[in-house]
Amino acid sequence: MATARSSPFLPTPSVKSTHANSGRYRCLSIHRPTAISTGQKSSPATVTMQNGRLLDSGEKKRKEANELISNIYSNPDEIPAEEGKTLKDYLEDCKALMIESKAGPPRWFTPLECGSLTSDSPLLLFLPGIDGMGLGLIKHHHKLGKIFDIWCLHIPVTDKTSFSDLVKLVERTVRSECKRSPNRPIYIVGESVGACIALDVAARNPDVDLVLILANPATSFSRSQLQSLTPLLQFMPSQLLTYLPYMMNLASGDHLRMVLENAVKGRMPHQTVGELTQDLVAMSSYLSVLADILPGETLAWKLQMLKSASASANSHLHAVKAQALLLCSGKDQLFPSQEEAQRLYRTLPRCEIRTFEESGHFLFLEDDFDLVTTIKGAGFYRHGKNLDYVSDYMPPTPYEFKKIYESHRLVLAITSPVMLSTLEDGKVVRGLAGIPSEGPVLFVGYHMLLGFELAPLVLQFMMERNILLRGIAHPMMFNRLKEGKMLDLASFDSYRLMGAVPVSGPNFYKLLSSKSHALLYPGGVREALHRKGEAYKLFWPEQSEFVKMASRFGAKIVPFGVVGEDDIGELVFDYNDQMQIPSLRTFIKQLSEEVVRLRTDANGEVSNQDVHLPGVIPKLPGRFYYYFGKPIETEGRREELRNKEKSQELYLHVKSEVEKCIAYLKEKREEDPYRNVLPRLLYQATHGFTAQIPTFEI
C-alpha cells in the first residue's frame, strides 16, 4: 500500500492532525497531504513501450533477453473491463470520510490506491463540486495514480470557508508546488464550483504552467435552474431543504435521473410498475448519504457560494491564459453546460471541448466516462512546458485498445483485410511474420483515398504482432491556425490515443531514436485526396525525405502497398469537379486556410495541399489487401547514404518497391474467390464468424 507524498498540507497551523481507529483512513501529520484508503481493487495493467512493442508491467518484469512476449491484444473480445469504483463505493466512502472528518478547515488528501506513479509524474489537484467531499474521481483513482501525483481537496460538511478563501488556499498550493518543481505542469481538475476555483486561480497566476480540466463549470449559474431556487431557500422549511438535493439530480444513473427529472417537473414517469419500483429502490440507497453530505443548511450555503463563485470566475476570464480542456455533458440537468462550453471556448485562448451527449452533471461518476483516456486522447498529457509527442506518449491500455477496436469492428468485418509480408529469405507469407520485431522500423507506403486503410492496418499490427505503429500524420489532426469549417479536433482523439504524431523533422527524429515502428506516407494529403482516375498512383516528392534520417539510426525500411479502395466506393465528385463550383471553391479555400500548409517549397502535384472532401458512392464491399515487401537495411550505410546520389537512388528504389507491391495485389486479388463480401459471409456462416477467411494462393 502506498504512502502519502511528502508535500505541504495546507490547513491553518492551528489544526491538529487526527488519527482514526477504523483503519479505513489514515490521517498523517499536518505537513503532509492526508492519505486515504478507499479500499483497494485490482488495477488495470500498466502498459509500457520497449522497442516499439507493448508490454504490460508483469511481463516487463519477467521478460528475459530472448523471451517472446505473449500478446495481450490478440483477442480484443477477451480483454476484460478495467475494474474501478462505482457510485455505491463513492457513497460508502463519503460516509466513512464524514466520520473521519466531521469538522475543520478544507484539507488535501491523497487516496492510497494512487501510489504507483513515476518520479516525474505531474501534480493533479482535484477540486470537488457542490458535494465538497473530494471523492468525485473515485472511479479514476487507479488509472490517474499511474500517471499523476494526485491531491484531492476535501471540504468538511459543516465548513463554511468562503469562495475567495478557497481560491487562496488552492493558490498557495499552486505557488508552493510551482516553486518546488518549476518545470513541471500542474493540473487542476475541477467540477462545478471547483471549476470556478480553478479559473480564478489560473487568472491570478498567469506565470504558472497550469492545465485546467473543467467538468460542467458553474460559470453558467445565472442561467441555471439553481439560480431560481436560491431566493426561495430562506422561506423553505428545514424538512423540505433536506429533500431538495434529491430533486436536483445529484445522483447518477439513467433510472434515477429519470425519476428525479420527472419529480422536478411535477409528474410521475410513464413506466411500468417494475421499472418504477427499480427506480425507487435505487433512489432509496442514496437518500440518507446525500442528506448527510448536503443537509439543508449546508446546501443553502453552497448555493449562495455558487452564485459568488460564478460571478468571480466570469469577471476574471479575460485573465486566464492556461491551457484548458472543457468537459460538458449533454444531459446536465443543473447547468446549460453545452451552451456554456461554447461560450468559454470563445473566451479562453487555449481551450478545447469534449462533449459527452449521454452523461449527466456528475460526469466523473458516469460508468462510461474515462478521464485518463479523455486526457490522453485530447493530447493534454505532458511532463514539461511543451507537449512532446514521443516522450510524453502513453500507449493505450488493453481496455482502451478494445474500445477503439469495437468502434472499428464494422470496418474490419466488411473489408476482411488480407495482410502479406516478406520473410528474410524473400518468401511471401500470409500474416505479419516478416515484420521486424525490434525497431527502429520505418513503414513507407501508399495512402488510400481518405486514409481508408489506416484503422485495419494499425489494429491488425497490435492484434497479430503486439506492435504499435506510430503514424506520422498531418498537423490538421492536432491543431488549427484558425476556427472555421474543419472537423472538430475531437474527431481525431483515437488517432492520438494510438500514437499518431504531427509530421515534423524533430518528431521523425524522436520516433526513430526511440526505436519505434513509424508509419510514413510520402504522398500525404495529395495522395489521400486524389482525383478520379488516380487510384494507386503515388504522389511522392521528387527528392528523398526520409532516407538519410533512417540511415542515421540504422532503421529498416519496409515498403508496402495496399489496394481495395475501388472495391468499397466509387469516387464521383473530386477536387477538380468541386473547383468548378464557385461556392465550393471558396469553401475549399477556407478549409485549407484553417490548417498548416505543408510542402510549400515542393514542385509538382505533391505541393497541392488543398483540403476538401471527395464525393464517394459506396459499393457492395470488396476486400482490403496489404503487402509488405522485404525490409531494406540501412544499418551501417550512414556514410554511404550521406551522398545525395546514393540517397536518391535508395529513395527511388523504395518507391519502386511500393509500386511493385501495389501491382502484385491488383493482379492477385482477381484470383481471390472471397473478394466480395457475400462469399465471405457464406464462408463465415458455415465455418464460424471468427474463422480466418481464405484468399488467393501465394
Side-chain angles (χ1 to χ4, degrees), residues 225-244:
Q225 297 182 32
L226 297 181
Q227 168 70 10
S228 59
L229 282 176
T230 306
L232 303 177
L233 293 177
Q234 58 182 316
F235 303 110
M236 287 187 181
S238 58
Q239 296 87 346
L240 182 56
L241 280 174
T242 302
Y243 290 95
L244 190 57

Side-chain angles (χ1 to χ4, degrees), residues 322-396:
Q323 185 182 17
L325 179 62
L326 300 177
L327 311 179
C328 62
S329 298
K331 294 184 177 179
D332 188 345
Q333 300 300 312
L334 297 187
F335 301 123
S337 291
Q338 286 184 303
E339 175 187 330
E340 180 65 4
Q342 292 298 325
R343 184 183 75 89
L344 293 175
Y345 180 76
R346 293 189 296 269
T347 305
L348 302 177
R350 302 169 57 199
C351 181
E352 291 187 29
I353 298 175
R354 295 298 181 270
T355 301
F356 305 88
E357 295 289 350
E358 299 303 316
S359 296
H361 179 73
F362 288 86
L363 179 63
F364 296 140
L365 294 175
E366 295 277 349
D367 292 335
D368 295 331
F369 176 75
D370 189 314
L371 181 57
V372 171
T373 302
T374 301
I375 292 173
K376 288 162 59 177
F380 267 62
Y381 184 72
R382 55 186 171 90
H383 292 83
K385 291 187 178 299
N386 298 299
L387 173 64
D388 187 316
Y389 287 96
V390 178
S391 64
D392 285 330
Y393 175 66
M394 303 292 295

Side-chain angles (χ1 to χ4, degrees), residues 389-417:
Y389 287 96
V390 178
S391 64
D392 285 330
Y393 175 66
M394 303 292 295
T397 65
Y399 188 68
E400 287 171 343
F401 174 76
K402 178 179 182 177
K403 299 294 286 186
I404 294 174
Y405 168 82
E406 289 174 345
S407 69
H408 292 90
R409 186 190 295 270
L410 181 60
V411 174
L412 292 169
I414 65 175
T415 61
S416 185

Side-chain angles (χ1 to χ4, degrees), residues 411-678:
V411 174
L412 292 169
I414 65 175
T415 61
S416 185
V418 174
M419 298 201 177
L420 310 176
S421 61
T422 308
L423 303 179
E424 290 184 2
D425 60 4
K427 181 180 179 180
V428 179
V429 296
R430 184 170 185 183
L432 301 174
I435 302 300
S437 298
E438 303 300 322
V441 181
L442 178 63
F443 297 86
V444 183
Y446 169 70
H447 215 354
M448 269 191 187
L449 182 67
L450 295 173
F452 286 143
E453 83 286 353
L454 273 171
L457 173 61
V458 174
L459 294 174
Q460 194 66 34
F461 263 71
M462 289 278 281
M463 292 187 291
E464 187 172 337
R465 289 299 309 277
N466 195 20
I467 290 175
L468 179 64
L469 284 183
R470 302 293 305 274
I472 301 174
H474 195 284
M476 73 172 74
M477 295 184 178
F478 304 88
N479 54 61
R480 300 279 188 271
L481 294 179
K482 62 180 182 179
E483 292 305 312
K485 307 294 185 181
M486 278 293 294
L487 284 174
D488 191 279
L489 286 174
S491 305
F492 303 106
D493 281 4
S494 61
Y495 292 86
R496 288 187 289 270
L497 196 60
M498 292 300 294
V501 304
V503 59
S504 72
N507 284 338
F508 191 23
Y509 177 96
K510 292 173 184 177
L511 284 175
L512 296 185
S513 66
S514 62
K515 300 185 182 299
S516 298
H517 288 68
L519 175 62
L520 177 67
Y521 293 105
V525 168
R526 178 61 181 86
E527 206 165 86
L529 300 178
H530 63 67
R531 324 311 185 216
K532 286 181 285 189
E534 294 179 348
Y536 309 122
K537 180 180 178 181
L538 301 185
F539 289 91
W540 288 21
E542 294 179 0
Q543 300 299 317
S544 168
E545 292 184 329
F546 56 82
V547 172
K548 289 184 179 179
M549 186 74 79
S551 65
R552 179 171 185 169
F553 297 99
K556 299 178 178 67
I557 300 175
V558 179
F560 72 94
V562 54
V563 302
E565 65 180 72
D566 51 345
D567 277 350
I568 64 169
E570 181 179 357
L571 177 58
V572 295
F573 194 47
D574 66 5
Y575 174 80
N576 295 330
D577 297 327
Q578 296 179 32
M579 290 297 286
Q580 299 301 315
I581 303 173
S583 59
L584 290 181
R585 184 167 60 246
T586 301
F587 181 69
I588 290 172
K589 181 181 179 181
Q590 291 173 342
L591 283 182
S592 302
E593 290 175 348
E594 294 173 19
V595 301
V596 175
R597 198 172 185 87
L598 303 175
R599 290 173 171 157
T600 55
D601 57 347
N603 298 317
E605 273 297 305
V606 73
S607 64
N608 187 341
Q609 298 283 308
D610 285 351
V611 179
H612 67 285
L613 182 63
V616 180
I617 296 179
K619 293 181 178 179
L620 191 65
R623 201 171 193 182
F624 283 177
Y625 303 86
Y626 300 76
Y627 176 24
F628 298 90
K630 185 177 180 179
I632 299 170
E633 294 282 354
T634 66
E635 189 171 6
R637 302 179 63 185
R638 181 176 180 181
E639 292 300 321
E640 172 196 351
L641 294 174
R642 280 182 175 178
N643 181 280
K644 186 175 181 179
E645 292 183 357
K646 291 291 186 180
S647 176
Q648 184 68 8
E649 181 181 329
L650 180 56
Y651 176 73
L652 294 177
H653 173 63
V654 173
K655 182 178 180 181
S656 174
E657 288 297 305
V658 173
E659 291 172 332
K660 289 179 182 178
C661 291
I662 294 172
Y664 174 86
L665 292 174
K666 288 174 68 177
E667 178 183 350
K668 296 294 291 184
R669 70 175 176 175
E670 300 294 335
E671 305 172 11
D672 187 359
Y674 299 99
R675 179 177 173 182
N676 189 276
V677 69
L678 295 180

